[in-house]
């Protein structure tokens, strides 16, 4: 087996005889000839049959090899998970002995944990199980009850109260990857301006809007990057000195934008 269970078999294959002359080969009754592949396979099969018979005749040896699980080693960052949580999930599956463990089922129950991104489980003879986990890395909240990773994977831990300071993203869940990509692109654009995106939503129709603190920005469906660059120019030219008075910016115009101030609405360009 490949689990270091001490059952590897050495078949005692003989290699090719080298340095023999042609005459020696002819007179030596076939000495120096290569062992045919089928003979090697036969040797392995015979060795395995003999080993199986040996184990069958000595139950104590089988029991000694197939021991109960005494230790679980968990390798993870434990940034959001705890070792106790992982061991608690695995405990019902550790009642079987070493060779009877269902590693696939153990991996599946680990992957069902919201914070687990990847999981691998393997035996470590004579009585251990080694578990390796990677955790989800949340970047933002998704709606009111879930989180989203930097790869656009939505997951729902039991409690997300500790993530209230994160921005909120939203949209059809099947579009989560696109929403995350748009969030990263807008955040990179705003960072040099000292602005931080606090909300981004994609509607079912494909229209986009986001908020920067108290200001809502609507960029619509089309030419999103062009409209975002227009917002940057508008911010530097007109909005930055009066940013605390801005309520809403609508960029769904051909060559301009409308700005809603705390008291009045100023329009520029044509829709």
């Amino acid at each position: 087996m490949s689990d270091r269970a001490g059952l590897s078999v050495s078949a005692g294959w003989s290699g090719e005889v080298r340095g023999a002359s042609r005459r020696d080969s002819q007179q030596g009754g076939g000495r120096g000839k290569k062992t045919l592949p089928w003979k090697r396979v036969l040797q392995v099969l015979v060795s395995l049959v003999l080993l199986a018979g040996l184990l069958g005749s000595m139950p104590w040896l089988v029991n000694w090899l197939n021991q109960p699980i005494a230790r679980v080693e968990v390798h993870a960052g434990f940034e959001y998970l705890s070792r106790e949580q992982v061991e608690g999930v695995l405990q019902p599956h550790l009642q079987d002995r070493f060779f009877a463990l269902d590693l696939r089922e153990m991996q599946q129950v680990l992957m069902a944990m919201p914070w687990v991104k990847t999981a691998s489980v393997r035996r470590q003879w004579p009585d251990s199980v080694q578990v390796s986990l990677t955790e989800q890395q949340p970047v933002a909240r998704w709606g009111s009850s879930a989180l989203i990773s930097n790869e656009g994977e939505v997951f729902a831990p039991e409690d997300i109260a500790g993530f209230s300071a994160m921005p909120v993203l939203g949209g059809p869940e099947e579009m989560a990857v696109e929403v995350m990509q748009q969030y990263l692109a807008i955040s990179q654009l705003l960072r040099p301006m000292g602005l931080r995106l606090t909300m981004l939503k994609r509607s079912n129709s494909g229209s986009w809007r986001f908020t920067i603190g108290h200001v809502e920005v609507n960029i619509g469906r089309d030419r999103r990057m062009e409209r975002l660059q227009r917002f940057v120019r508008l911010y530097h030219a007109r909005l930055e000195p009066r940013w605390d008075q801005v309520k809403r910016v609508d960029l769904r115009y051909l060559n301009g934008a409308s700005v809603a101030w705390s008291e009045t609405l100023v329009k520029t360009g044509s829709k």
Side-chain angles (χ1 to χ4, degrees):
M1 295 185 65
S2 61
D3 294 312
R4 300 175 59 186
L7 295 181
S8 59
V9 178
S10 175
W13 298 335
S14 57
E16 178 183 356
V17 177
R18 303 192 179 205
S21 67
R22 183 176 180 183
R23 181 178 178 181
D24 291 338
S25 177
Q26 292 174 346
Q27 296 178 357
R31 288 179 301 178
K33 292 183 179 179
K34 294 182 179 179
T35 304
L36 296 177
W38 67 267
K39 288 186 177 180
R40 295 185 177 183
V41 173
L42 182 60
Q43 287 176 327
V44 173
L45 292 176
V46 170
S47 298
L48 291 175
V49 169
L50 292 175
L51 179 60
L54 177 64
L55 294 176
S57 64
M58 291 186 293
W60 63 268
L61 180 58
V62 175
N63 289 333
W64 180 75
L65 293 173
N66 192 24
Q67 297 189 30
I69 300 302
R71 186 172 67 257
V72 177
E73 298 179 12
V74 181
H75 303 277
F78 293 114
E79 187 175 357
Y80 303 105
L81 287 167
S82 70
R83 193 180 304 272
E84 290 74 21
Q85 286 176 316
V86 175
E87 292 177 353
V89 167
L90 291 177
Q91 188 59 43
H93 304 273
L94 299 174
Q95 307 308 311
D96 293 326
R97 287 177 173 261
F98 187 82
F99 294 122
L101 289 175
D102 192 333
L103 300 184
R104 179 176 296 182
E105 184 177 1
M106 294 169 69
Q107 182 183 32
Q108 289 174 348
V109 298
L110 288 170
M111 289 297 297
M113 301 178 73
W115 281 110
V116 174
K117 179 182 179 182
T118 64
S120 66
V121 185
R122 66 185 185 92
R123 301 177 182 90
Q124 181 71 38
W125 194 80
D127 59 1
S128 300
V129 173
Q130 291 195 346
V131 178
S132 296
L133 303 174
T134 58
E135 296 175 84
Q136 297 281 13
Q137 295 299 315
V139 172
R141 289 174 289 165
W142 181 264
S144 60
S145 59
L147 300 173
I148 183 170
S149 73
N150 59 344
E151 297 179 357
E153 186 173 349
V154 177
F155 58 102
E158 292 182 4
D159 184 10
I160 65 169
F163 302 90
S164 59
M166 285 186 169
V168 179
L169 310 187
E173 189 163 335
E174 64 272 15
M175 304 300 296
V177 173
E178 182 183 1
V179 174
M180 173 52 63
Q181 291 172 346
Q182 190 69 51
Y183 165 76
L184 295 174
I186 297 175
S187 296
Q188 184 176 7
L189 193 67
L190 297 179
R191 192 173 296 114
M193 303 159 60
L195 301 178
R196 179 177 176 270
L197 188 149
T198 53
M199 185 275 290
L200 171 67
K201 289 190 177 180
R202 181 195 186 278
S203 70
N204 291 332
S205 64
S207 181
W208 296 82
R209 61 187 176 91
F210 59 90
T211 61
I212 305 169
H214 63 286
V215 179
E216 180 181 305
V217 182
N218 197 329
I219 59 174
R221 295 180 56 182
D222 306 317
R223 303 190 300 276
R224 297 195 298 270
M225 186 52 64
E226 174 189 326
R227 292 172 177 176
L228 286 168
Q229 292 171 346
R230 190 190 311 162
F231 169 77
V232 172
R233 293 193 297 269
L234 179 62
Y235 175 82
H236 288 304
R238 297 280 304 276
L239 303 181
E240 185 174 8
R242 302 176 59 189
W243 184 247
D244 59 341
Q245 300 174 26
V246 178
K247 291 179 60 178
R248 185 170 57 257
V249 180
D250 192 341
L251 295 155
R252 295 173 296 174
Y253 292 82
L254 184 61
N255 293 309
S258 68
V259 180
W261 304 89
S262 55
E263 297 293 339
T264 60
L265 177 66
V266 179
K267 289 188 177 180
T268 62
S270 58
K271 204 165 186 176

Coordinates of all heavy atoms in Angstrom, one line a residue, residues 1-29:
M1 N 0.8 -1.2 0.0 CA 0.0 0.0 0.0 C 0.9 1.2 0.0 O 2.0 1.2 0.3 CB -0.9 0.0 1.2 CG -1.9 -1.1 1.2 SD -3.0 -1.1 2.6 CE -3.9 0.4 2.2
S2 N 0.3 2.4 -0.3 CA 1.0 3.6 -0.4 C 1.0 4.4 0.8 O 1.4 5.6 0.8 CB 0.5 4.5 -1.6 OG -0.9 4.8 -1.3
D3 N 0.4 3.9 1.9 CA 0.2 4.6 3.1 C 1.2 4.3 4.2 O 1.0 4.4 5.4 CB -1.2 4.4 3.6 CG -2.2 5.0 2.7 OD1 -2.0 6.2 2.3 OD2 -3.2 4.3 2.4
R4 N 2.4 3.8 3.7 CA 3.5 3.5 4.7 C 3.0 2.5 5.7 O 3.4 2.6 6.9 CB 4.0 4.8 5.3 CG 4.5 5.8 4.3 CD 4.9 7.1 5.0 NE 5.9 6.8 6.0 CZ 6.4 7.8 6.8 NH1 5.9 9.0 6.8 NH2 7.3 7.5 7.8
A5 N 2.2 1.6 5.3 CA 1.7 0.6 6.2 C 2.6 -0.6 6.4 O 2.3 -1.6 7.1 CB 0.4 0.1 5.7
G6 N 3.8 -0.5 5.9 CA 4.8 -1.6 6.1 C 4.5 -2.8 5.3 O 5.0 -3.9 5.6
L7 N 3.7 -2.7 4.2 CA 3.4 -3.9 3.4 C 4.0 -3.8 2.0 O 3.6 -4.5 1.1 CB 1.9 -3.9 3.2 CG 1.1 -4.1 4.5 CD1 -0.4 -4.2 4.2 CD2 1.5 -5.4 5.2
S8 N 5.0 -3.0 1.8 CA 5.7 -3.0 0.5 C 6.4 -4.3 0.3 O 6.9 -4.9 1.2 CB 6.7 -1.8 0.4 OG 7.7 -2.0 1.4
V9 N 6.4 -4.8 -1.0 CA 6.9 -6.1 -1.3 C 8.1 -6.0 -2.2 O 8.0 -5.3 -3.2 CB 5.8 -6.9 -2.0 CG1 6.3 -8.3 -2.4 CG2 4.6 -7.1 -1.1
S10 N 9.1 -6.7 -1.9 CA 10.3 -6.7 -2.7 C 10.3 -8.1 -3.5 O 10.3 -9.1 -2.8 CB 11.6 -6.6 -1.9 OG 12.7 -6.8 -2.7
A11 N 10.2 -8.1 -4.8 CA 10.0 -9.3 -5.5 C 11.3 -10.0 -5.8 O 11.3 -11.2 -6.3 CB 9.3 -9.0 -6.8
G12 N 12.4 -9.4 -5.5 CA 13.7 -10.1 -5.7 C 14.0 -10.3 -7.1 O 14.6 -11.4 -7.5
W13 N 13.7 -9.3 -8.0 CA 14.0 -9.5 -9.4 C 15.5 -9.5 -9.6 O 16.3 -8.9 -9.0 CB 13.4 -8.3 -10.1 CG 11.9 -8.2 -10.0 CD1 11.1 -9.2 -9.8 CD2 11.2 -7.0 -10.1 NE1 9.8 -8.7 -9.7 CE2 9.8 -7.3 -9.9 CE3 11.5 -5.6 -10.4 CZ2 8.8 -6.4 -10.0 CZ3 10.5 -4.7 -10.4 CH2 9.1 -5.1 -10.2
S14 N 15.9 -10.4 -10.6 CA 17.3 -10.4 -11.0 C 17.5 -9.5 -12.2 O 16.8 -9.6 -13.1 CB 17.7 -11.9 -11.3 OG 16.9 -12.4 -12.4
G15 N 18.6 -8.8 -12.1 CA 18.9 -7.8 -13.3 C 19.6 -8.5 -14.4 O 19.9 -9.7 -14.3
E16 N 19.9 -7.8 -15.4 CA 20.6 -8.3 -16.6 C 22.0 -8.6 -16.3 O 22.7 -7.8 -15.6 CB 20.5 -7.3 -17.8 CG 21.2 -7.8 -19.0 CD 21.2 -6.7 -20.1 OE1 20.5 -5.7 -19.8 OE2 21.8 -6.9 -21.1
V17 N 22.6 -9.7 -16.7 CA 24.0 -10.1 -16.5 C 24.8 -9.3 -17.5 O 24.6 -9.4 -18.7 CB 24.2 -11.6 -16.6 CG1 25.7 -11.9 -16.4 CG2 23.4 -12.3 -15.5
R18 N 25.7 -8.6 -17.0 CA 26.6 -7.8 -17.9 C 28.0 -8.3 -18.0 O 28.5 -9.0 -17.0 CB 26.6 -6.3 -17.5 CG 25.2 -5.7 -17.4 CD 25.2 -4.2 -17.2 NE 23.9 -3.7 -17.2 CZ 23.6 -2.5 -17.5 NH1 24.5 -1.7 -17.9 NH2 22.3 -2.1 -17.4
G19 N 28.7 -8.0 -19.0 CA 30.1 -8.4 -19.1 C 30.3 -9.8 -19.6 O 31.4 -10.3 -19.7
A20 N 29.3 -10.6 -19.8 CA 29.5 -12.0 -20.3 C 29.7 -12.0 -21.8 O 29.1 -11.2 -22.5 CB 28.2 -12.8 -20.0
S21 N 30.6 -12.8 -22.3 CA 30.9 -12.9 -23.7 C 29.8 -13.6 -24.4 O 29.0 -14.3 -23.8 CB 32.3 -13.7 -23.9 OG 32.1 -15.0 -23.5
R22 N 29.8 -13.5 -25.7 CA 28.8 -14.2 -26.5 C 28.9 -15.7 -26.4 O 28.0 -16.4 -26.3 CB 29.0 -13.8 -28.0 CG 28.0 -14.4 -28.9 CD 28.1 -13.9 -30.3 NE 27.1 -14.4 -31.2 CZ 27.1 -14.2 -32.5 NH1 28.0 -13.4 -33.0 NH2 26.1 -14.8 -33.2
R23 N 30.2 -16.2 -26.3 CA 30.4 -17.6 -26.1 C 29.8 -18.1 -24.8 O 29.2 -19.1 -24.7 CB 31.9 -17.9 -26.2 CG 32.2 -19.4 -26.1 CD 33.7 -19.6 -26.2 NE 34.1 -21.0 -26.1 CZ 35.3 -21.4 -26.1 NH1 36.3 -20.5 -26.4 NH2 35.6 -22.7 -26.0
D24 N 30.1 -17.3 -23.7 CA 29.6 -17.7 -22.4 C 28.1 -17.7 -22.4 O 27.5 -18.6 -21.8 CB 30.1 -16.7 -21.3 CG 31.6 -16.8 -21.1 OD1 32.1 -17.8 -21.4 OD2 32.2 -15.8 -20.6
S25 N 27.5 -16.8 -23.1 CA 26.0 -16.8 -23.2 C 25.5 -18.0 -23.9 O 24.5 -18.6 -23.5 CB 25.6 -15.5 -23.9 OG 24.2 -15.5 -24.0
Q26 N 26.2 -18.4 -24.9 CA 25.7 -19.6 -25.7 C 25.9 -20.8 -24.9 O 25.1 -21.8 -24.9 CB 26.5 -19.6 -27.0 CG 26.1 -18.5 -27.9 CD 26.9 -18.5 -29.2 OE1 27.9 -19.2 -29.3 NE2 26.5 -17.7 -30.2
Q27 N 27.1 -20.9 -24.1 CA 27.4 -22.2 -23.4 C 26.8 -22.2 -22.0 O 26.9 -23.2 -21.4 CB 28.9 -22.3 -23.4 CG 29.6 -22.5 -24.8 CD 31.0 -22.6 -24.7 OE1 31.6 -22.5 -23.6 NE2 31.7 -22.8 -25.8
G28 N 26.3 -21.1 -21.6 CA 25.9 -21.1 -20.2 C 24.5 -21.4 -19.9 O 23.9 -21.1 -18.9
G29 N 23.9 -22.0 -20.9 CA 22.5 -22.5 -20.7 C 21.5 -21.3 -20.5 O 20.6 -21.4 -19.8

